[in-house]
């Protein structure tokens, strides 16, 4: 879609690939890559399941002229749904990346706790202030942008839409797309992603 000038908020609201690519140019290649790695991309989450993929990202030394722009809106990298969920949790929880787990606790027939998982902090990725700003931007995506279908009555939702071209006959098709959405609620105090 054609737009004139867009604010950062509007780039997210209307899901502008061009705007996102321009924003990515504000970071040098190494910093851009470091943030993606810090959010857990191209790293195993160490979840308690076998055969986890670490995904894939191009190293900064191998970036072409378009790599960073494409990566900024989801191309030229592979991430798992769990990596994406873990990264979004860090975006909206105050900026902390945690190791995910599936089982909270295992209890025997007598009610004794055999094993219990607790949140395990990996690292701070962004500041609490930045996390609050991102939450506001993603609430706006749902309230007035491309994510309005995710609105719920009496529950504030935030999130981000995504669209990618599908590979058809070994070529990306402008007529065939995959659409996605990742969200969180209640957005003022997130409990679910």
């Amino acid at each position: 879609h054609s737009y004139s000038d867009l604010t950062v908020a509007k780039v997210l609201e209307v899901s502008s690939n061009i705007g996102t690519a321009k924003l990515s140019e504000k970071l040098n290649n190494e910093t851009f890559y470091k943030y993606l790695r810090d959010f857990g991309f191209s790293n195993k989450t160490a979840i308690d399941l076998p055969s986890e993929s670490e995904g894939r990202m191009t190293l900064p030394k191998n970036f072409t002229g378009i790599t960073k722009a494409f990566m900024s809106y989801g191309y030229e990298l592979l991430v798992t749904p769990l990596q994406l969920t873990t990264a979004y949790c860090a975006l909206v929880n105050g900026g902390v990346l945690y190791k995910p787990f599936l089982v909270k606790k295992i209890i025997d027939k007598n009610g004794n706790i055999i094993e219990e998982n607790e949140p395990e902090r990996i690292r701070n990725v962004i500041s609490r202030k930045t996390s609050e700003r991102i939450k506001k931007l993603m609430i706006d995506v749902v309230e007035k942008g491309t994510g309005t279908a995710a609105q719920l009555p009496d529950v504030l939702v935030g999130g981000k839409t995504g669209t990618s071209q599908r590979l058809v006959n070994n070529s990306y098709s402008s007529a065939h797309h995959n659409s996605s959405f990742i969200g969180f609620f209640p957005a003022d105090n997130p409990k679910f992603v």
Side-chain angles (χ1 to χ4, degrees):
H1 300 91
S2 179
Y3 297 101
S4 57
D5 293 336
L6 293 174
T7 63
V8 172
K10 278 293 184 192
V11 166
L12 288 173
E13 281 177 30
V14 300
S15 204
S16 170
N17 289 352
I18 294 169
T20 303
K22 287 182 177 185
L23 288 170
S24 75
E25 291 304 318
K26 302 278 186 192
L27 298 173
N28 66 46
N29 293 350
E30 289 72 24
T31 302
F32 178 82
Y33 181 84
K34 180 190 177 310
Y35 270 106
L36 291 175
R37 290 282 298 193
D38 284 354
F39 274 108
F41 299 135
S42 202
N43 291 305
K44 290 184 179 182
T45 66
I47 190 151
D48 46 347
L49 288 174
S51 304
E52 180 183 13
S53 171
E54 70 238 6
R56 188 177 71 219
M57 283 194 314
T58 304
L59 294 170
K61 68 180 182 179
N62 298 325
F63 281 13
T64 67
I66 59 171
T67 298
K68 190 165 57 173
F70 276 25
M71 287 174 72
S72 74
Y73 53 84
Y75 285 83
E76 289 198 30
L77 71 160
L78 299 173
V79 302
T80 68
L82 184 58
Q83 287 172 328
L84 189 60
T85 302
T86 304
Y88 266 79
C89 287
L91 281 172
V92 303
N93 73 9
V96 180
L97 186 73
Y98 286 95
K99 177 184 169 187
F101 57 86
L102 294 179
V103 177
K104 174 71 176 155
K105 63 177 129 177
I106 300 172
I107 302 171
D108 69 16
K109 64 182 180 179
N110 299 320
N112 299 311
I113 297 173
I114 298 170
E115 184 179 327
E116 185 169 14
N117 284 309
E118 293 293 332
E120 185 179 328
R121 178 188 218 106
I122 297 172
R123 70 182 141 268
N124 285 12
V125 183
I126 54 175
S127 70
R128 180 166 292 284
K129 183 177 177 182
T130 299
S131 176
E132 290 301 320
R133 286 180 175 170
I134 290 170
K135 281 196 304 190
K136 166 82 172 85
L137 292 171
M138 288 200 275
I139 289 167
D140 288 348
V141 169
V142 173
E143 293 295 309
K144 53 189 174 184
T146 56
T148 56
Q151 292 176 359
L152 296 173
D154 304 320
V155 179
L156 188 61
V157 177
K160 185 67 187 80
T161 58
T163 306
S164 61
Q165 294 179 329
R166 290 177 58 198
L167 202 58
V168 177
N169 297 323
N170 293 325
S171 179
Y172 285 109
S173 168
S174 59
H176 298 87
H177 299 88
N178 287 325
S179 296
S180 61
F181 177 82
I182 186 163
F184 59 95
F185 65 93
D188 47 349
N189 186 20
K191 300 291 182 203
F192 301 96
V193 170

